[in-house]
Amino acid sequence: MALAFDEYGRPFIILKEQEQKTRLRGLEAQKANISAGKAVARILRTSLGPKGMDKMLQSPDGDVTITNDGATILEQMDVDNQIAKLMVELSRSQDYEIGDGTTGVVVLAGALLEQAERLLERGIHPIRIAEGYEMASRIAVEHLEHIAQKFDFGPTNLEPLVQTCMTTLSSKIVNRCKRAMAEICVKAVLSVADLERKDVNLDLIKVEGKVGGKLEDTELIYGITVDKDMSHPQMPKQIEDAKIAILTCPFEPPKPKTKHKVDIDTVEKFQTLRQQEQKYFDDMVQKCKDVGATLVICQWGFDDEANHLLMHRNLPAVRWVGGVELELIAIATGGRIVPRFQELTPEKLGRAGLVREKSFGTTKDKMLYIEHCLNSRAVTIFIRGGNKMIIEETKRSIHDALCVARNLIRNNSIVYGGGSAETACSIAVETASDKYPGVEQYAIRAFADALDAVPMALAENSGLQPIETLSAVKSQQIKENNPHFGIDCNDVGTNDMREQNVFETLIGKQQQILLATQVVKMILKIDDVISPSDY
Amino acid sequence: MAIEKIFKDDASEEKGERARMASFVGAIAITDLVKTTLGPKGMDKILQSTGRGHGVTVTNDGATILKSLHIDNPAAKVLIDISKVQDDEVGDGTTSVVVLAGELLREAEKLVAAKIHPMTIISGYRMAAECARNALLQRVADNKGSAEKFRSDLMKIAMTTLSSKILSQDKVYFAQLAVDAVMRLKGSTNLEAIQIIKKPGGSLRDSFLDEGFILDKKIGLGQPKRIENAKILVANTAMDTDKVKIYGARVRVDSMSKVAEIEGAEKEKMREKVQKIIAHGINCFVNRQLIYNFPEELFADAGVLAIEHADFDGIERLALVTGGEIASTFDNPESVKLGHCDLIEEIMIGEDKLIHFSGVEMGQACTIVLRGASHHVLDEAERSLHDALCVLSQTVNDTRVLFGGGWPEMVMAKEVDELARKTPGKKSHAIEAFSRALVAIPTIIADNAGLDSADLVAQLRAAHHKEGCNAGIDVISGSVGDMADLGISESFKVKQAVLLSATEAAEMILRVDEIITCAPRQREDRM
């Protein structure tokens, strides 16, 4: 374990507590890293595509998650190995950036590592491999742009958007009602989208779930749902044309932040204090009433007395509403969040056409729907499903679909899915490789092989012969010079992804290739791993 | 070189066939556990808690059993989850849903062994579930139109639900009780308006439905025990020491006399409050919080009945029945809505004194008093009654009704079988398997009743070959009987929920090909 020796053969101590560390160097380190990366990719490989399988994950607390969303699997996997963590990061960054294709990116990175291992065995220097990969990724990304198509959609023609969302959803458990879900997602995104600026603020879409009912009952609400009920059981359950006061101050006597004491030493003081206290409550309710509010939504709690006064003055109220929800309500109803009673003015009230309380099932579950808001840009997708796990998984799937729809609005270029884009890139990279002199040529060729891994995994998961199917698709692409041929996962009978309406966003695909290449480059550059050894 | 471990210590990973095997084994084990409780002759389970006192529960309610199990197998957890949801959503069929999901997985296991891909099985199951649902939809009866018939439907459903429970001896009586209670709700599913009070002693037959409202509290000393034409103020206010709510206030005095003065002021304040309350012109005052001796005495002096510390549910229900509002301030008596009832009296049930409000304004709420030999019996009776109430309240909203006794399963199985014959490809195996899983339910019912299941189910199948047949298993006589004559009915909503959730759960477990278990979180050892 020693790193260096003096002329008498005694080791220099360079690392702190050197004896307790293990160290891997050179080729050995690279190989260990590669195999760790490959192991992670192998786990996700079977989840790829419409016929991909799910993973069941049991958390340290015993909760069960069932999912086939790459990012979720990796996040919950409790990974220890450093390189494996890099792969987790990789999938996460794809999730943040694009929101979809989290499985694909890891599979691609795994394939790249696998190819790199072979090249390393041949004695090619890792940096040369990394450079070759870099060049190849550039070729691939350019080629993607070349084969990408613009497609048009407008508020009247939503079909293309729905189709794309359906592609994303078809690999998830919700594929039974993917059509309905996709429509919900597209409508939701469009209603919050700013088509001029081509931007979508996904924060405006709230995804809520409640156990019970069936997936088909999932609905899009043009408004907000809050998992709360009226503070007093006898307040009205339905308010039309509500004027909403949104408060972040409690219905309680004020608590000044400076430390102070009110000393009571005489009976008079005691009595004035009492009257003061009652006046506080009265004033607070009166202020809300004065500005014309018909519903009070408050972030804090109410005192019993205040609660009754509100009830008494026929002013329905909701308490303990979370900060995020409060903000959404404010956006949706066009109201302002008011931190102090003194600042309540009629202009600061939010407006909603209908506020109603709805109860579910046999238990005491109640939810508040705020609908027909002044500014209907905030929407809620309300998911119902057989059990908690289905709901969680549906939430994740909807998130993916929302992201895809958003990406399309930002940039309406698409490439065709089903592995066709990867195959086309692979062909392009392969042809381009011959032009490069030097060792990089091998790396570029290896990159082309790695790209094949995605369609290969798709075919494998769909129960097709992977090698046969892929070679058939490839030769078809070259023969007809048409990059739209992919793997026919659903057994529809045609390989043309254009006919099958399977597409993905261009940025998503490009991002996948770039991110995967980056991570692989990083892993290849590591030649020394020093880690504390096991006890 | 060996792959370094990627997971943390103690985390485990199971792949492919092994993972699938683990989930099948877990799910089937759970199914076998609850399967013996299915049907009118199902057996009960004793559950002993590991907590303090080792409390014992005797039940045959699927959801209750499963809720109490500590399970490590993730697939089993999925099943427990669906049972819980079934309980929350429709209230009954908690055992059936687990058994059906388990049987679906058992059939799937065979198909997987025969080299059929799980995805193919799933798509087959989906087709089958859709077809089964349509088959049920075609055969539902809907008696929404006639109140008489609908009521008899409800009676039948209640009796069918109760017949598998501890109340089966008196099912007619309890069914009547449950139907009456639910009919009073007038279509709302808010079961909170039905209060169930359990009092040990007597026999189950002594249970009764009370049209009024019973509060499990005693009347304060020296106050009237019986009030006619009562005006009730329902309140939620502090009647102990009324605290000053302004932050930072504190009492600081420098002599004993001042303490006495302030104490006097406090008392005065309380007296004022009581005066204000009495000024509402009430003769009964119910408070959610404690009432101290001093105000109680004042109330007694004024001849007002004061009831303290009614819990939150009690107070809400009381407000609901008497039509009063829950008040916390008392400054303007003219606008506070008071509750009314014809008579308040103290009644005795067993050895306990309870307060009985009768002749209330709103007829929605009611109270069911359960009597029984022991706490275990009462608990189980409450659960059974709860199931029945849930099912009934759901049926009031969705009036479609089916026959029971394995009839729906046979109808579905027949249609699904037809579909299997028509479907080309490997899916047809899965569809066939679905039908087999459906038939498993009447088989288990028959088995549990100690009957010759193979013979009975075969007869049943033959009977169902005719169009429009109403045959099901008559557990009492041990033969195939006409369900319409026997009056065995089930709610369509419950059956549909069973079918859909079971398929969904089975699908979910089938899709899994890898189980990753994280290391259990280290807990502080509290021992």
Side-chain angles (χ1 to χ4, degrees), chain A residues 309-320:
Chain A
L309 277 175
L310 284 169
M311 160 73 198
H312 196 78
R313 300 279 182 90
N314 201 11
L315 190 59
V318 188
R319 59 180 153 184
W320 301 124

Side-chain angles (χ1 to χ4, degrees), chain B residues 2 4 13 48 51 55 101 123 130 139 143 171 183 203 214 223 268 293 358 374 398 403 405 463 474 499 503:
Chain B
E4 282 189 51
E13 185 195 5
Q48 189 168 24
S123 61
E130 196 51 44
R139 300 292 300 270
N143 288 332
K171 64 178 173 192
M183 289 310 262
S203 74
I214 293 180
Q223 291 163 348
E268 195 50 45
N293 286 353
S358 54
S374 73
D398 184 346
F403 292 119
D474 178 4
L499 183 71
T503 320

Side-chain angles (χ1 to χ4, degrees), chain B residues 155-219:
Chain B
M155 271 303 283
K156 282 182 202 160
I157 291 176
M159 272 173 14
T160 313
T161 306
L162 290 173
S163 65
S164 63
K165 311 279 159 123
I166 199 167
L167 301 175
S168 64
Q169 291 304 314
D170 307 308
K171 64 178 173 192
V172 184
Y173 184 71
F174 279 101
Q176 190 72 42
L177 220 123
V179 172
D180 282 345
V182 169
M183 289 310 262
R184 289 174 69 90
L185 291 179
K186 300 189 184 71
S188 107
T189 51
N190 185 7
L191 289 180
E192 277 167 50
I194 301 175
Q195 189 192 20
I196 298 180
I197 290 182
K198 296 176 283 183
K199 285 283 162 206
S203 74
L204 279 173
R205 268 226 163 251
D206 296 333
S207 310
F208 61 90
L209 174 85
D210 195 280
E211 309 240 320
F213 179 82
I214 293 180
L215 198 62
D216 196 355
K217 287 281 166 241
K218 288 199 181 64
I219 293 176

Side-chain angles (χ1 to χ4, degrees), chain A residues 53-111:
Chain A
M53 304 296 275
D54 288 2
K55 305 279 176 264
M56 193 182 262
L57 301 148
Q58 201 167 14
S59 80
D61 297 326
D63 296 333
V64 178
T65 310
I66 297 180
T67 180
N68 76 0
D69 180 49
T72 316
I73 299 173
L74 290 176
E75 206 138 296
Q76 305 211 347
M77 225 162 55
D78 209 1
V79 167
D80 205 21
N81 184 294
Q82 301 308 315
I83 300 302
K85 275 185 189 157
L86 272 182
M87 301 291 264
V88 175
E89 286 289 318
L90 167 68
S91 151
R92 198 178 296 160
S93 57
Q94 174 83 9
D95 193 29
Y96 286 157
E97 199 62 30
I98 306 296
D100 187 34
T102 51
T103 315
V105 69
V106 176
V107 171
L108 186 59

